Amino acid sequence: MQELKIMSLKNKINKNPIGIFDSGIGGVNVVKEIHRILPYENIVYLGDTARVPYGTKSKETIIRYSIENTNFLLKFKIKLLVVACNTSSSYALPVLKKMLNTIPVVGVILPGAIKAIQETKNNRIGVIGTPATIKSGIYKKTIISLSKKKKSVISVACPLFVPLIEEGWIDRLYQEKGYHIQHKKLDYYRIINHENILRYVATEYLSVLKQKNVDVLVLGCTHYPAIKTILKEVMGPQVTLVDSAEETAKFVYETLKRYNMLNIPHNKNVLGKLKFYVTDDPQKFKLISSWLIGKKINFVKKVVVENV
Ligand code: DGL
């Protein structure tokens, strides 16, 4: 973990928000988990929806976008940065840690890799992610470097999942629970029978992992928890899914605690504020993030983040 020379903080910055970014809707799964275990933390989220997907872009572009997103979040005096994107975490984490210096930076790779090592019994781990994350080989390197026993890591790129999830093609259980939220404004987001298509795509991508008999599957993209039910169904009950959003939230808790930066409320009825910024179409983001979080998300604003 990042070694920091944190100044004497003494609760001064504890009310400041946690800054979180992703290319789009995926990091909302991370927000949800952080808000669940740290309900008093204020959160500022940026979804770079104008430039999603990152997973098919070059290393240089991914680093540039990640720096621009971080610069935007720094305007809010964030006390900690969560890179809620596996693709950015794969390439930009060292640059961002250097850039932020005394502000802790948490990525999503290490938490998922540690959990996968803990969960596997047959030492055969599957990883799915964007083409860029898989190309970086980061999960394989991290898992192998942290393991005591020899591990087989089989990685598969799943480029179609992100565009489908950005379209709102997610597990039906989210939509059914939250469909009432805004359907009048956006009636083109009908509940259509998309699950068969997701199941078909997932069966195709995951077949090699089933053949190789993995007993753990790392969801190496923060978008994927949105289709966890289908992924679980395709892999079968014998395979444990590792959700990097859940694991990252635990890391955030540990990091804030370690640096004495947790926001301890005076009034336990007042929860932390969640503010969302996007670089395109706030309406669509409002609907899908409300589905994922399970409550109505009101604060979504469109912003420009690139250096012009
Ligand atoms: N959610 C992201 C990830 O974890 C990015 C997906 C994309 O933009 O391609 O990699």
Side-chain angles (χ1 to χ4, degrees), residues 128-199:
I128 53 173
T130 66
T133 299
I134 299 305
K135 190 172 158 214
S136 77
I138 188 118
Y139 272 104
K140 194 170 184 163
K141 279 183 234 154
T142 311
I143 290 170
I144 289 177
S145 72
L146 294 175
S147 293
K148 292 196 183 87
K149 281 196 192 139
K150 194 171 175 299
K151 300 272 180 296
S152 273
V153 181
I154 303 112
S155 308
V156 176
C158 306
L160 283 180
F161 283 155
V162 168
L164 292 175
I165 294 164
E166 286 288 325
E167 251 333 283
W169 285 26
I170 58 179
D171 285 343
R172 187 182 277 259
L173 64 100
Y174 292 113
Q175 295 184 328
E176 282 175 351
K177 240 175 45 194
Y179 182 54
H180 59 281
I181 294 173
Q182 292 170 2
H183 72 287
K184 280 191 191 115
K185 276 192 205 153
L186 284 166
D187 55 24
Y188 56 94
Y189 281 101
R190 299 182 331 272
I191 298 186
I192 54 171
N193 193 11
H194 62 266
E195 285 199 319
N196 285 338
I197 296 162
L198 275 176
R199 196 172 287 114

Side-chain angles (χ1 to χ4, degrees), residues 31-259:
V31 173
K32 179 184 173 181
E33 291 304 324
I34 294 177
H35 188 58
R36 194 170 60 79
I37 64 171
L38 292 166
Y40 302 110
E41 295 298 332
N42 297 308
I43 294 176
V44 182
Y45 181 85
L46 174 68
D48 191 8
T49 48
R51 304 189 288 192
V52 67
Y54 282 11
T56 49
K57 309 268 185 327
S58 68
K59 176 181 173 180
E60 293 68 31
T61 303
I62 294 163
I63 293 177
R64 177 162 54 86
Y65 289 177
S66 304
I67 292 173
E68 288 171 351
N69 296 342
T70 302
N71 275 329
F72 172 78
L73 290 171
L74 283 174
K75 293 181 189 150
F76 297 88
K77 299 198 182 327
I78 56 171
K79 63 179 178 182
L80 180 138
L81 175 72
V82 182
V83 182
C85 173
N86 287 259
T87 310
S88 291
S89 297
S90 300
Y91 294 100
L93 215 55
V95 180
L96 300 180
K97 283 184 175 175
K98 213 168 162 191
M99 183 176 145
L100 266 57
N101 193 19
T102 57
I103 300 174
V105 180
V106 175
V108 283
I109 309 285
L110 187 61
I114 293 174
K115 183 71 175 172
I117 296 167
Q118 287 165 354
E119 290 294 327
T120 184
K121 294 190 178 64
N122 70 2
N123 294 310
R124 303 178 73 76
I125 297 172
V127 177
I128 53 173
T130 66
T133 299
I134 299 305
K135 190 172 158 214
S136 77
I138 188 118
Y139 272 104
K140 194 170 184 163
K141 279 183 234 154
T142 311
I143 290 170
I144 289 177
S145 72
L146 294 175
S147 293
K148 292 196 183 87
K149 281 196 192 139
K150 194 171 175 299
K151 300 272 180 296
S152 273
V153 181
I154 303 112
S155 308
V156 176
C158 306
L160 283 180
F161 283 155
V162 168
L164 292 175
I165 294 164
E166 286 288 325
E167 251 333 283
W169 285 26
I170 58 179
D171 285 343
R172 187 182 277 259
L173 64 100
Y174 292 113
Q175 295 184 328
E176 282 175 351
K177 240 175 45 194
Y179 182 54
H180 59 281
I181 294 173
Q182 292 170 2
H183 72 287
K184 280 191 191 115
K185 276 192 205 153
L186 284 166
D187 55 24
Y188 56 94
Y189 281 101
R190 299 182 331 272
I191 298 186
I192 54 171
N193 193 11
H194 62 266
E195 285 199 319
N196 285 338
I197 296 162
L198 275 176
R199 196 172 287 114
Y200 185 80
V201 175
T203 305
E204 197 59 36
Y205 282 144
L206 302 179
S207 66
V208 60
L209 299 173
K210 291 184 77 173
Q211 276 162 24
K212 301 267 181 187
N213 206 17
V214 301
D215 70 347
V216 166
L217 177 66
V218 180
L219 309 187
C221 172
T222 52
H223 280 69
Y224 300 171
I227 55 167
K228 210 168 166 177
T229 313
I230 288 174
L231 297 175
K232 178 81 187 154
E233 184 195 303
V234 172
M235 288 310 288
Q238 71 290 356
V239 176
T240 305
L241 302 195
V242 170
D243 177 341
S244 55
E246 277 174 24
E247 299 312 311
T248 302
K250 293 179 202 158
F251 250 64
V252 169
Y253 169 75
E254 291 301 333
T255 308
L256 290 180
K257 199 169 145 211
R258 177 144 74 102
Y259 293 118

Side-chain angles (χ1 to χ4, degrees), residues 25 27-33 35-36 43 45 170 174 177 181 274 276 285-297:
I25 200 84
V28 172
N29 292 307
V30 181
V31 173
K32 179 184 173 181
E33 291 304 324
H35 188 58
R36 194 170 60 79
I43 294 176
Y45 181 85
I170 58 179
Y174 292 113
K177 240 175 45 194
I181 294 173
L274 307 182
F276 293 86
F285 187 92
K286 246 186 211 176
L287 175 65
I288 303 171
S289 59
S290 300
W291 279 344
L292 290 175
I293 291 198
K295 67 178 185 186
K296 192 169 177 181
I297 299 299

